[in-house]
Amino acid sequence: MCGIVAYVGPKDAAPILLEGMQRLEYRGYDSAGIVVSNKGLKVRKCKGRVADLAKVVPARFKGGLGIGHTRWATHGVPSDENAHPHLSADQRIAVVHNGIIENAGELRAKLIADGVEFASETDTEVLAHMIAHAADENDTLEEAVRKTLKSVVGTYGIAVIDAERPGEVVVARNGSPIVLGIGEKEMFAASDVAALVRYTRQVVHLEDGELAVLKADGFHTFASDARETAKEPLTVDWDAGHYDTGGYEHYLLKEISEQPETITRTMSGRLDERFHVAHLGGLNMDARETRGFRRVKIIGCGSAYYSGQIGAQLIEELARIPSDAEPASEFRYRNPVVDPDTLYVAISQSGETYDTLAAVQELKRKGGRVIGIVNAVGSAIAREVDGGIYLHAGPEVSVASTKAFSSTAVAFALLALHLGRVRDLSPADGRRIVEGLRRLPGQIEEILTQSDKIAELAQKYATHASMMFVGRVRGYPVAREGAQKLKEISYVHAEAYPASELKHGPLALIGPDMPTVAIVPDDELLDKNLTTLGEIRARGGRVLMVGHREPEAKLADDVIVIPKNEIELDPILLTIPLQLLAYHAAVALDRDVDKPRNLAKSVTVE
């Protein structure tokens, strides 16, 4: 879950590495470091952010070849010593690494027995020493890296340089992304295109088990058995401007505010007003095959999982196909029964989430039909699945997902409409959903105008140590996502429960010091939800209600009223005020909004 940047070319590497690392800091930010090659290896690294590193990099830190890294700790506490790059004992080899070497303990013990002294607690340092040993026995750096990786068990995205070969960088991937950037007589590599788009939009994605050698005049790729592989460059749609804050105080607020535009892009070209259907050609399924599925299973992690719960509800309601969502991190470990009549849907904003990717690979091994809902074109999951839906939401930089979450929910509405119309969803209901989807962007804009009011509410509720979020049926995944947002960026403890489950245990927690955020849409369960509010109020609990109208009785201390859409689509709108609530609570508590502690954006390790 770290950020890697590499450069080889005629320019000074250090400024390019530092700028790229700043764009990747959302992937890891407890320490950082760079190394450049110029008559030996010059290294600077430190605990802290890329800005802290920039302060200790001298002005004359010259060299046209270098690698950089932002770290999210897995082995060893954040410290100067544990920061990457890691060097071999003879200072010849430098390595940066994203992932986890599972047999690092065994490899480390062998190296210590051979007299190697370690300078850090990391698993990565074993690679530097092993590659240095292999380099003494081989003519090329690429062969030394390839030989070393044969002994490695685990996941990695690595970049390696050799002081004795100052014109090349070797990179390798297994379970952790590496993207090559093709410049004009210069080459780049990174763990995310965010670090590359300022310099080039021509990229090549490495597959698992692939390595590449980068020189200023080009690159070549090869498999772990040394067999050459052919790669075709892709042109990425995003540019450097997509990674700027655009005048907003935080990326998170920018991304919340972009949602009218991002969900419009998700729907663009996919709604048919004549037949009231959704066109999803990327699924690679004809109508006969689509009708053959008898169940839908959705897998994702974190917010992607909660959006999957919204998606399962949409598919059941509109297509009348039994559907459910499950955490991808648990799915593959319970030896799931893979049914040929089940359509599996994998969700990942980055398309690189390791748990989800591994689950997809397990499904493919067992013959499952898997489609993906991802944001990053050309990502690992996008390449692995049989078809899918790209979100086109643009890059999401803040660790907490907002615009990708709402775009994913809209993508599920499109999928549910598509499945429903090839089955039993009537043209009238199809028209109703299409018209509802068309209204969403304007309704989100309307909700965003309440930001100042929600900020005042956040000031009041953020003083509590814990909060409860409740909702029924369609409202329950909204409550779960709302609780997730609050705790991950404000550090206020939050739990989400189905409203009907409160009286089966959690009601014991309710009191003046435990406020409840209640999701109360104006649907067939309105009266039951209002009864739950009465139960909370009777026990002295404070209530912040999010719904479509003020309750008739004094059942809530505060109310956020939002526009009403079709009942199936209302959950998409109900999430927006909860995003604002979490954001303003985090600001009120002076949290690091875009980079919450202990978390990283793209989770590429188990």
Side-chain angles (χ1 to χ4, degrees):
M1 286 154 48
C2 312
I4 289 173
V5 187
Y7 174 78
V8 55
K11 303 170 186 172
D12 278 333
I16 295 170
L17 298 177
L18 289 169
E19 196 272 341
M21 290 161 63
Q22 286 178 330
R23 293 191 181 276
L24 295 187
E25 201 166 24
Y26 64 90
R27 297 180 66 97
Y29 39 87
D30 59 40
S31 57
I34 61 172
V35 56
V36 299
S37 179
N38 184 356
K39 297 178 181 180
L41 300 184
K42 300 178 179 180
V43 183
R44 291 293 187 276
K45 57 182 185 174
C46 66
K47 177 183 176 181
R49 301 290 176 85
V50 175
D52 299 313
L53 173 65
K55 294 174 183 177
V56 300
V57 174
R60 295 187 60 79
F61 200 70
K62 302 297 183 179
L65 172 79
I67 54 179
H69 189 268
T70 62
R71 181 173 185 254
W72 186 87
T74 58
H75 289 71
V77 299
S79 67
D80 292 357
E81 295 77 18
N82 289 332
H84 298 216
H86 290 288
L87 273 65
S88 57
D90 59 3
Q91 304 290 294
R92 173 182 171 182
I93 300 294
V95 179
V96 294
H97 166 227
N98 181 12
I100 294 177
I101 306 303
E102 295 175 6
N103 62 336
E106 173 189 343
L107 298 173
R108 189 183 187 99
K110 290 180 180 178
L111 289 165
I112 291 173
D114 290 338
V116 173
E117 294 185 5
F118 279 78
S120 76
E121 305 168 89
T122 68
D123 55 341
T124 303
E125 191 181 348
V126 302
L127 297 177
H129 296 301
M130 292 175 67
I131 293 169
H133 178 73
D136 290 336
E137 301 176 347
N138 293 275
D139 293 332
T140 64
L141 178 60
E142 63 187 86
E143 183 60 24
V145 174
R146 193 177 71 83
K147 178 180 178 181
T148 296
L149 293 179
K150 288 181 178 179
S151 303
V152 169
V153 177
T155 59
Y156 53 79
I158 63 170
V160 186
I161 61 175
D162 182 346
E164 296 185 8
R165 296 178 176 88
E168 65 184 38
V169 181
V170 176
V171 296
R173 170 194 173 130
N174 185 50
S176 190
I178 291 290
V179 185
L180 313 183
I182 304 169
E184 189 69 33
K185 295 185 179 180
E186 59 186 356
M187 285 293 299
F188 308 82
S191 47
D192 192 309
V193 295
L196 308 178
V197 291
R198 180 175 176 181
Y199 307 100
T200 179
R201 294 172 66 185
Q202 293 293 302
V203 302
V204 167
H205 294 266
L206 291 190
E207 304 287 348
D208 283 349
E210 274 192 311
L211 300 87
V213 177
L214 280 61
K215 298 182 180 180
D217 58 357
F219 71 98
H220 73 271
T221 59
F222 54 99
S224 56
D225 60 2
R227 174 177 43 85
E228 295 284 329
T229 57
K231 309 295 290 187
E232 287 293 328
L234 300 174
T235 302
V236 296
D237 293 332
W238 305 339
D239 58 33
H242 284 97
Y243 294 91
D244 295 332
T245 58
Y248 289 91
E249 186 176 357
H250 301 99
Y251 281 107
L252 184 57
L253 183 58
K254 177 194 177 194
E255 289 158 9
I256 290 172
S257 302
E258 287 176 339
Q259 289 174 106
E261 294 79 28
T262 54
I263 67 167
T264 297
R265 288 202 299 269
T266 300
M267 294 186 291
S268 180
R270 289 169 168 166
L271 289 175
D272 185 322
E273 307 286 353
R274 180 182 177 189
F275 295 106
H276 319 301
V277 298
H279 291 303
L280 300 172
L283 298 182
N284 301 325
M285 296 186 297
D286 61 24
R288 182 184 297 275
E289 186 177 7
T290 300
R291 284 184 61 85
F293 292 114
R294 294 290 175 261
R295 180 174 292 276
V296 177
K297 167 70 76 172
I298 302 165
I299 55 173
C301 296
S303 290
Y305 164 48
Y306 303 140
S307 69
Q309 288 190 305
I310 292 175
Q313 180 76 27
L314 279 162
I315 292 168
E316 285 206 343
E317 287 192 300
L318 297 180
R320 305 307 296 155
I321 305 174
S323 306
D324 68 294
E326 181 176 346
S329 53
E330 295 293 313
F331 178 77
R332 68 190 177 103
Y333 286 113
R334 62 174 183 80
N335 192 23
V337 176
V338 177
D339 186 342
D341 294 335
T342 298
L343 175 64
Y344 296 90
V345 186
I347 320 163
S348 170
Q349 188 280 137
S350 67
E352 303 286 353
T353 308
Y354 184 77
D355 287 316
T356 308
L357 176 60
V360 168
Q361 292 169 338
E362 179 73 3
L363 283 166
K364 297 288 288 180
R365 279 193 293 270
K366 293 184 174 182
R369 182 61 181 265
V370 191
I371 64 172
I373 297 179
V374 300
N375 195 31
V377 175
S379 56
I381 292 173
R383 298 194 306 274
E384 190 81 34
V385 295
D386 299 302
I389 304 171
Y390 280 123
L391 300 179
H392 302 302
E396 192 175 63
V397 177
S398 185
V399 167
S401 181
T402 51
K403 66 179 182 179
F405 180 90
S406 58
S407 284
T408 300
V410 167
F412 270 117
L414 295 172
L415 178 61
L417 177 62
H418 175 77
L419 295 173
R421 289 292 286 124
V422 298
R423 296 168 70 88
D424 301 319
L425 188 71
S426 70
D429 277 331
R431 181 190 302 112
R432 180 173 61 83
I433 297 301
V434 169
E435 291 174 352
L437 287 166
R438 293 291 192 199
R439 293 197 301 272
L440 284 175
Q443 290 178 315
I444 293 175
E445 287 181 355
E446 189 176 336
I447 295 170
L448 294 174
T449 64
Q450 299 188 61
S451 183
D452 290 345
K453 173 191 174 180
I454 294 172
E456 293 176 6
L457 293 173
Q459 288 267 2
K460 178 167 38 172
Y461 285 93
T463 59
H464 293 271
S466 289
M467 293 180 67
M468 187 76 75
F469 285 68
V470 298
R472 285 178 185 263
V473 187
R474 302 178 195 91
Y476 177 49
V478 175
R480 297 192 76 180
E481 171 62 10
Q484 169 101 338
K485 282 289 159 289
L486 186 68
K487 57 193 168 191
E488 69 181 334
I489 61 172
S490 75
Y491 317 149
V492 173
H493 174 254
E495 290 193 64
Y497 272 90
S500 55
E501 283 291 303
L502 275 186
K503 54 186 174 290
H504 295 291
L507 202 57
L509 293 172
I510 296 299
D513 296 326
M514 172 73 88
T516 298
V517 177
I519 312 305
V520 187
D522 193 358
D523 59 14
E524 73 277 10
L525 296 171
L526 176 62
D527 290 340
K528 292 185 180 296
N529 276 316
L530 294 178
T531 297
T532 299
L533 301 192
E535 293 172 349
I536 295 169
R537 295 282 289 166
R539 287 154 179 84
R542 297 176 62 187
V543 174
L544 169 57
M545 174 181 148
V546 181
H548 297 120
R549 53 175 162 165
E550 297 270 355
E552 293 180 4
K554 184 61 175 173
L555 295 175
D557 297 274
D558 298 286
V559 182
I560 300 173
V561 177
I562 68 165
K564 179 162 178 53
N565 200 295
E566 303 302 322
I567 59 173
E568 299 92 343
L569 302 177
D570 280 333
I572 299 170
L573 295 173
L574 287 162
T575 62
I576 308 301
L578 302 185
Q579 295 172 354
L580 289 168
L581 182 71
Y583 169 76
H584 288 300
V587 171
L589 295 169
D590 197 27
R591 307 304 191 206
D592 192 339
V593 174
D594 289 323
K595 302 181 182 70
R597 67 188 183 197
N598 303 331
L599 301 178
K601 180 68 174 175
S602 185
V603 184
T604 56
V605 298
E606 281 197 90

